[in-house]
Amino acid sequence: GLPAALPALPLELTVIYNSLLCTVGASDSAIEGEAEGIRQGLLRVLEACGACGQHLSTEELWQKVLQEVTAQELQAPLHRLGALQAAWWLSASRLGSTAGLFRLLSSAEDTGRAHCSKGENELLSLLKAWRVPAEEASLPLVQSAEDLKEILCTAAAFLQGLQELEAGNFPTALSLLQEAAGGFCSKRVLAQIYTCLSCCAQRMGKPQTALQHLKRALQVDFYCLPALSHVAAVYHELGETDAELQALTLLYEALEKNPPAASSSSPHFLMRTELLVHTPILASLLRHRHPSEVKYLLAQRCLQDGRVADAVEHYLDLLALLQEGLQQQVPLDGSSALPRIPEVFLEAASALEQAGRHQDAITLCEEVISRTTDLIPRMLRVEERLEQPECPSPGAGLAGGLLSQKKESLRCLAWRAAGYLQQGWAWDALGESKEAITHFSRCLGDLLRVQLCGSGVEPTENLLPEVEVLQKIRLLSLIGRGTQFLELGRHKEALLDFQHSLQISPGDPAATSYLVQALWKLNRKQEAAARWQKLSQSPPGEEGRPCCDIPFSFRPFPLYLVSCLEQAMFPHSDSLARSIQDYLRTSNQDPSS
């Protein structure tokens, strides 16, 4: 409440500087909001000089103070307070405000030094050119302005590097992040910077360089687990499955141990780089995986790579983890690598099926079927294709909500139908053809709940992904039931199923091959021979994408259908081929024409 006096202001401003730093150090959390103490200090300076600035913004207040206050004894305290203000603004990513402040802090002589040539970063040039005021023995500081300058330079380079990375300006991002890596920060932050450098290099198409940066990150801070997660991702991109699985295994083991927090810089500083850099892109790049996510990635990669025994082990471990409490294992922000729980069950069932554990696969599928039954409406009418309206209508929000609801119903239906489909193939493997037919028929009966609105003859680019999955399930189920009818000698019923399969996927090689076999068994040899000739003369992919050759990465193709696709493949039959060739020769037809 005392009136501001010029002789006392250096002490007042130094007290504000020290107290704000102590507050920041005590909270040990990211700086947010405005530093009200700085504003009050500036108003006290203006008051002592007989001026007023209550109506001014903080930026305008700094401009007024630095342009109008010329007292020499206030320059050093104001510069220190300006550096602290820059820390608050950097924390809020107000880079322009920070640069403007340091232009004001630079004297006429310094302005020439701060001038940056083309290609140089203006903010970094201004920060580096800023002359740190000399400390006074009578006014001790809890953290020197020189240390604060180094931290500001590191934070400014780090923040701008992240911004350029997010904008896709990778060479500029790389330069700024390398500048930050040579700055003043803790081991934890240095490891984070190297991790960001690796992301930049990876996006520039330099995976080996990315691995080198990640190696440095782990050498600096072994507990930088996001770096280990990125190592696995780079090896995945390179196709080095063994190395990827090793990285994921190390990551899972580290997460299970609950490592202690990484050490900060030494000696301990009140204002640190990590308190200034906390942007969304950094949080995204450094997101910690949960144990269930890593376990799922292990299971998924093993299944995709054909390591069935390992996949089964990981999937069973994952199911046990999920039973312990899903809410504690998976983040709710949609960024998880873990798919929907029914898909996890179906993928686990697929792994068990491939491992020959057919009864266990049937049991897991039954769990999915029972839990999704009440979520599926008796009849579901949906548009077959994605519509792209030219302009949003007033009811677009409601329509979008209805579409989302229908998509969810379609997903539930796909999971339930896939459960029946997998059970059908499992019963087939057990030699129980009648049970297999029952479950394939249940799958097809479920799919009849969907009424598609569309001509069915248009190009497939705009098909809803959920609809495409249902079509694949229907195709596989018809092929599966048809093969069982063949086993039981019910050739006419088998023929109908294979014909329906080809209506869904014209030219599909598996369905066509089975159709040839059914026609031959029905003694319709001329038709069978004609089909066989057409199939054998068709280049791969000419008659449509084969159902069994769809890659894992194909958008609407779920991993849990892999085993069904493999079982639906037509077994090469030399005897059938010879019989058809003999028939063609007898009929004076050349099979190679």
Side-chain angles (χ1 to χ4, degrees):
L2 294 173
L6 196 59
L9 280 177
L11 178 59
E12 282 192 43
L13 297 180
T14 303
V15 169
I16 292 172
Y17 175 87
N18 285 338
S19 64
L20 284 173
L21 282 171
C22 289
T23 302
V24 167
S27 67
D28 200 30
S29 58
I31 297 173
E32 294 179 352
E34 288 283 350
E36 190 58 33
I38 294 178
R39 181 178 177 84
Q40 293 304 317
L42 296 178
L43 290 173
R44 292 280 285 174
V45 171
L46 288 178
E47 181 186 345
C49 297
C52 180
Q54 291 286 356
H55 61 288
L56 300 176
S57 67
T58 304
E59 287 182 73
E60 292 169 337
L61 201 54
W62 270 109
Q63 185 173 3
K64 185 176 179 66
V65 168
L66 293 174
Q67 288 178 348
E68 296 184 9
V69 177
T70 57
Q72 191 60 38
E73 63 269 27
L74 292 180
Q75 295 308 304
L78 282 174
H79 273 244
R80 286 193 288 267
L81 210 56
L84 208 51
Q85 177 70 76
W88 253 263
W89 280 344
L90 282 178
S91 180
S93 297
R94 293 175 59 180
L95 303 179
S97 299
T98 307
L101 177 59
F102 275 92
R103 285 193 206 98
L104 292 170
L105 288 173
S106 299
S107 64
E109 180 186 351
D110 290 331
T111 302
R113 296 174 65 244
H115 177 72
C116 64
S117 60
K118 186 177 180 181
E120 288 185 321
N121 184 274
E122 182 190 16
L123 177 56
L124 288 179
S125 296
L126 287 166
L127 284 168
K128 290 175 181 179
W130 174 55
R131 288 180 173 175
V132 178
E135 291 190 33
E136 300 174 37
S138 58
L139 297 173
L141 306 175
V142 294
Q143 184 170 342
S144 73
E146 187 65 49
D147 290 339
L148 188 53
K149 174 183 176 178
E150 294 296 329
I151 289 167
L152 291 176
C153 287
T154 305
F158 196 2
L159 280 168
Q160 291 180 101
L162 290 170
Q163 287 184 350
E164 296 295 340
L165 178 58
E166 189 171 24
N169 301 325
F170 302 129
T172 307
L174 196 66
S175 175
L176 287 163
L177 290 171
Q178 286 172 339
E179 176 83 24
F184 194 71
C185 60
S186 65
K187 289 183 177 181
R188 181 178 65 179
V189 173
L190 183 56
Q192 291 176 356
I193 295 170
Y194 279 129
T195 303
C196 294
L197 276 166
S198 78
C199 294
C200 190
Q202 189 177 5
R203 294 180 191 183
M204 293 173 73
K206 300 178 179 179
Q208 294 297 340
T209 305
L211 286 174
Q212 290 299 318
H213 288 308
L214 291 168
K215 181 181 178 181
R216 292 192 190 98
L218 291 168
Q219 286 173 341
V220 170
D221 179 9
F222 182 72
Y223 291 115
C224 184
L225 300 187
L228 203 50
S229 182
H230 284 286
V231 168
V234 175
Y235 279 127
H236 178 69
E237 181 185 314
L238 291 170
E240 298 185 21
T241 306
D242 288 335
E244 179 192 358
L245 293 175
Q246 185 179 7
L248 288 171
T249 301
L250 287 172
L251 178 58
Y252 183 75
E253 291 173 354
L255 287 170
E256 276 194 314
K257 293 176 183 177
N258 294 319
S263 59
S264 186
S265 56
S266 181
H268 180 80
F269 290 103
L270 298 172
M271 180 68 74
R272 303 186 301 281
T273 308
E274 49 264 52
L275 303 181
L276 306 183
V277 186
H278 46 88
T279 62
I281 183 176
L282 182 63
S284 174
L285 294 174
L286 300 178
R287 189 178 76 80
H288 282 264
R289 293 285 185 188
H290 288 244
S292 59
E293 294 180 86
V294 181
K295 181 58 74 172
Y296 172 73
L297 289 172
L298 280 165
Q300 179 199 53
R301 294 299 294 124
C302 286
L303 184 59
Q304 289 175 330
D305 198 53
R307 308 178 188 215
V308 177
D310 290 338
V312 167
E313 181 182 348
H314 289 309
Y315 274 114
L316 294 180
D317 288 345
L318 173 61
L319 294 179
L321 268 178
L322 296 178
Q323 285 180 344
E324 292 174 7
L326 177 62
Q327 298 293 334
Q328 299 172 3
Q329 296 293 334
V330 184
L332 302 176
D333 57 2
S335 60
S336 171
L338 197 65
R340 303 287 291 277
I341 300 306
E343 292 188 26
V344 175
F345 272 72
L346 289 170
E347 287 178 21
S350 178
L352 288 165
E353 174 66 20
Q354 292 178 62
R357 296 172 59 175
H358 308 300
Q359 287 291 354
D360 290 336
I362 290 170
T363 301
L364 267 186
C365 289
E366 193 59 42
E367 184 76 12
V368 175
I369 292 166
S370 64
R371 289 182 178 271
T372 54
T373 298
D374 296 335
L375 304 176
I376 306 170
R378 293 180 64 84
M379 192 60 65
L380 190 58
R381 182 181 175 86
V382 294
E383 292 293 332
E384 189 175 358
R385 304 179 188 282
L386 289 168
E387 297 295 335
Q388 302 292 341
E390 293 183 5
C391 57
S393 62
L398 178 60
L402 289 173
L403 177 61
S404 177
Q405 198 172 29
K406 285 183 178 181
K407 282 185 176 182
E408 182 64 13
S409 296
L410 286 172
R411 292 186 198 104
C412 291
L413 180 59
W415 296 331
R416 178 180 158 95
Y420 282 131
L421 176 67
Q422 287 198 20
Q423 286 182 327
W425 286 112
W427 284 115
D428 167 55
L430 290 168
E432 299 286 345
S433 292
K434 290 184 178 179
E435 280 289 345
I437 289 172
T438 298
H439 287 82
F440 285 133
S441 298
R442 287 176 180 171
C443 174
L444 292 168
D446 260 5
L447 297 178
L448 290 176
R449 297 181 184 215
V450 181
Q451 289 185 349
L452 296 178
C453 306
S455 65
V457 295
E458 301 171 26
T460 60
E461 285 83 357
N462 291 328
L463 274 181
L464 283 170
E466 294 80 8
V467 171
E468 213 165 337
V469 169
L470 290 173
Q471 287 183 338
K472 293 185 189 303
I473 292 173
R474 185 169 178 236
L475 170 67
L476 294 170
S477 196
L478 283 166
I479 292 175
R481 191 172 69 174
T483 60
Q484 302 309 305
F485 283 143
L486 283 177
E487 288 285 330
L488 297 174
R490 295 160 64 175
H491 301 141
K492 289 185 178 179
E493 292 167 281
L495 181 65
L496 283 173
D497 277 349
F498 299 138
Q499 287 172 335
H500 289 148
S501 299
L502 289 171
Q503 289 176 4
I504 298 169
S505 180
D508 181 86
T512 304
S513 300
Y514 278 118
L515 179 69
V516 169
Q517 187 178 33
L519 288 168
W520 190 260
K521 289 181 179 292
L522 286 167
N523 207 30
R524 293 164 60 173
K525 296 185 178 180
Q526 188 174 357
E527 292 177 67
R531 288 272 189 175
W532 182 82
Q533 278 186 305
K534 186 178 179 182
L535 178 64
S536 60
Q537 292 170 358
S538 298
E542 183 179 283
E543 296 192 358
R545 184 188 290 273
C547 81
C548 300
D549 290 342
I550 303 171
F552 293 118
S553 59
F554 190 51
R555 175 184 58 104
F557 180 67
L559 179 59
Y560 56 77
L561 292 180
V562 173
S563 60
C564 300
L565 282 171
E566 292 174 349
Q567 288 164 298
M569 291 178 69
F570 183 78
H572 293 289
S573 175
D574 292 334
S575 61
L576 178 61
R578 281 196 301 270
S579 297
I580 294 174
Q581 288 171 342
D582 291 342
Y583 170 79
L584 290 170
R585 277 194 295 270
T586 304
S587 304
N588 296 319
Q589 297 181 33
D590 183 7
S592 63
S593 63

